[in-house]
Amino acid sequence: MDLANFSAKLEPFLLMAKSLKGAAAAKLIQDATSAPGVFVFAELLELPNIQELEKSEQHSRFLSLLQLFSYKTYPDYLQHKDTLPPLNQAQITKLKHLTIVSLAAERRILPYADLQQSLDISNVRELEDLIIDAIYLDLLQGKLDQKEEQLEVSYTMGRDLESGKLEYVLSALKDWASTTSAVLVTLDSKINSIAADAAAAKHSQQEHERILQNNLKEVHDKQKEKSLGGGMANRRAAFQVGDRENMDMDVDDDIKGKNRKASQEMTPKIPRKRNKF
């Protein structure tokens, strides 16, 4: 929402108002409050010749009319309408738009029932059309929740400040700044705490991984040692079996040799006959 654009809409009336007084100034106020796109009036209200209307019994009510459009609402008009000039339809619609803006500045959620009461509207369709027009005019941003029958406001233009309300606004802004600072401090503390917890969790995970790797390596080394030890035992057993077989073979050979010798000794020798010629 561009406040400069709203001010630009008022500029032609400011130029004319500087040279007008009395009835002409009163007529200018009527024109400005009826003109499309003009929603801020502070600069016009502050002009000396406009302020002079308060001294005129005949024209002072037009100054009150300008004050109404500057920072008051439609319920204010209904309450004091007998002391104000009659409003045309354009002025009534504009004042209702400004009333929605004022209500939206106070609460983000505006129930239809509250709006209908403030705007003196009995028909929901008429209320929704009025809100949609305000959104198109860039007076506020939000959406209509027809199921819940409420207006959800996300942003609104700023209206002129009534005399004496500046201190209230400054106080509210200081409170907001203080609250915001406290929230930021809390958020920073929370972020630091989360970062510390994350670092501790990461260190714990790394330590867990280190211990796990060490345990796996230890198990692997033990299995390797066991495997190597079993191989050597098998080889020793093989050697022992081989030696035993060789010994058995040597014994067998000795026995067989002795048996052959004994057999030869026991067998009688038969003299060989020689042929005689």
Side-chain angles (χ1 to χ4, degrees):
M1 297 181 181
D2 189 358
L3 186 59
N5 184 49
F6 289 133
S7 298
K9 296 284 187 179
L10 182 65
E11 190 65 30
F13 297 98
L14 292 176
L15 295 175
M16 291 186 289
K18 291 178 181 179
S19 58
L20 300 179
K21 291 186 179 183
K27 176 64 167 60
L28 180 73
I29 291 174
Q30 281 277 37
D31 293 341
T33 54
S34 301
V38 181
F39 292 98
V40 291
F41 305 92
E43 292 179 87
L44 181 62
L45 184 61
E46 292 171 356
L47 291 178
N49 53 325
I50 298 297
Q51 287 292 321
E52 287 180 2
L53 294 175
E54 187 176 12
K55 301 175 182 178
S56 170
E57 183 178 351
Q58 182 180 0
H59 301 120
S60 61
R61 58 183 185 151
F62 290 95
L63 179 62
S64 299
L65 178 66
L66 187 57
Q67 291 170 340
L68 174 70
F69 277 85
S70 293
Y71 41 73
K72 295 186 179 181
T73 62
Y74 190 72
D76 294 319
Y77 165 70
L78 295 179
Q79 184 178 356
H80 304 287
K81 64 184 304 183
D82 294 337
T83 62
L84 294 167
L87 301 184
N88 57 39
Q89 188 57 49
Q91 288 172 315
I92 291 174
T93 300
K94 180 181 292 190
L95 187 57
K96 287 184 177 181
H97 282 154
L98 291 171
T99 301
I100 296 174
V101 170
S102 293
L103 294 173
E106 298 174 358
R107 291 182 292 168
R108 193 181 71 85
I109 303 297
L110 294 174
Y112 282 4
D114 293 351
L115 289 170
Q116 286 178 273
Q117 181 178 358
S118 297
L119 302 175
D120 193 26
I121 295 175
S122 59
N123 188 292
V124 172
R125 178 59 184 273
E126 182 182 350
L127 173 65
E128 289 181 338
D129 288 343
L130 190 70
I131 294 171
I132 292 170
D133 288 343
I135 293 173
Y136 277 117
L137 288 169
D138 210 22
L139 301 178
L140 58 88
Q141 293 175 0
K143 65 177 182 179
L144 298 174
D145 186 342
Q146 294 179 322
K147 181 179 179 181
E148 298 296 330
E149 294 192 341
Q150 63 187 19
L151 168 64
E152 298 179 5
V153 181
S154 58
Y155 193 79
T156 180
M157 66 166 282
R159 293 193 65 187
D160 300 326
L161 286 177
E162 186 177 359
S163 178
K165 289 292 182 70
L166 181 59
E167 291 76 10
Y168 169 79
V169 173
L170 289 175
S171 177
L173 288 175
K174 287 179 180 178
D175 291 341
W176 175 82
S178 177
T179 302
T180 303
S181 297
V183 170
L184 290 176
V185 169
T186 302
L187 287 176
D188 287 341
S189 176
K190 201 70 174 177
I191 290 171
N192 292 334
S193 176
I194 292 172
D197 291 344
K202 183 178 180 181
H203 180 269
S204 177
Q205 180 67 21
Q206 291 174 342
E207 185 67 15
H208 174 75
E209 291 290 339
R210 185 185 66 78
I211 294 173
L212 178 61
Q213 292 300 325
N214 288 340
N215 290 339
L216 290 175
K217 185 176 183 302
E218 184 178 348
V219 171
H220 181 267
D221 292 343
K222 287 182 178 179
Q223 289 178 345
K224 187 175 180 181
E225 287 180 9
K226 185 176 180 180
S227 177
L228 291 174
M232 293 178 67
N234 291 335
R235 286 194 293 273
R236 283 196 297 269
F239 288 146
Q240 291 174 359
V241 171
D243 291 343
R244 190 178 298 112
E245 289 177 352
N246 290 334
M247 290 175 64
D248 292 343
M249 291 176 65
D250 292 342
V251 170
D252 289 343
D253 290 343
D254 290 343
I255 294 173
K256 289 178 180 179
K258 289 178 180 180
N259 290 337
R260 282 195 300 270
K261 185 176 180 180
S263 176
Q264 290 175 359
E265 290 177 352
M266 292 176 64
T267 303
K269 292 183 180 181
I270 301 175
R272 295 178 63 183
K273 292 183 178 182
R274 295 181 180 180
N275 294 328
K276 295 181 179 182
F277 294 98

